[in-house]
Amino acid sequence: MAVRIYHNPRCSKSRQTLELLTAKGIVPEVVEYLKTPLDAVALKALNAKLGVPVRAMMRTKEAPYKDLSLAEADDTALLAAIAAHPILLERPIVENGPKAAIGRPPEAVEAVL
């Protein structure tokens, strides 16, 4: 599997992470997840690669998180919410084979390269 970045071009951390990858000679598959949202099954698989709680891969300060009262939701509900509202997915996420990392800070993705 090639390196893949779940990217939002409007996000500075996402742009910095993409620059980090290209500076290392990596040409990742760029998935603009706001245009091409992941379904709950793909999100669950991505979460397993990240090895973090589902909530850790979410942007909890976005309006849909509060509007949907997700503070007490279980993982299934959280994954469904991200699938329905892709703005809730933390960014960027770099996936490389069986591993993935959130690029906050961008250098955090080096662990999966």
Side-chain angles (χ1 to χ4, degrees), residues 3 5 16-26 28 94 109 113:
V3 173
I5 181 170
Q16 290 169 9
T17 301
L18 184 55
E19 288 171 15
L20 181 147
L21 295 173
T22 56
K24 291 185 171 293
I26 298 168
V94 172
V109 304
L113 300 179

Side-chain angles (χ1 to χ4, degrees), residues 19-73:
E19 288 171 15
L20 181 147
L21 295 173
T22 56
K24 291 185 171 293
I26 298 168
V27 181
E29 174 189 352
V30 177
V31 177
E32 289 189 34
Y33 65 91
L34 293 174
K35 293 180 180 177
T36 311
L38 286 76
D39 63 22
V41 173
L43 288 164
K44 186 174 182 176
L46 183 59
N47 178 253
K49 291 179 181 188
L50 285 166
V52 299
V54 173
R55 203 171 309 279
M57 64 186 274
M58 295 184 77
R59 298 180 58 80
T60 59
K61 294 184 179 165
E62 293 290 341
Y65 186 85
K66 294 175 183 112
D67 295 345
L68 297 170
S69 302
L70 296 174
E72 301 298 322

Side-chain angles (χ1 to χ4, degrees), residues 2-23:
V3 173
R4 178 179 298 142
I5 181 170
Y6 296 95
H7 178 62
N8 179 345
R10 296 184 65 200
C11 171
S12 64
K13 295 294 182 202
S14 197
R15 290 192 308 270
Q16 290 169 9
T17 301
L18 184 55
E19 288 171 15
L20 181 147
L21 295 173
T22 56

Side-chain angles (χ1 to χ4, degrees), residues 82-101:
I82 298 169
H85 305 276
I87 192 73
L88 291 172
L89 183 64
E90 186 58 90
R91 61 186 182 250
I93 296 175
V94 172
E95 182 180 21
N96 186 14
K99 302 182 222 172

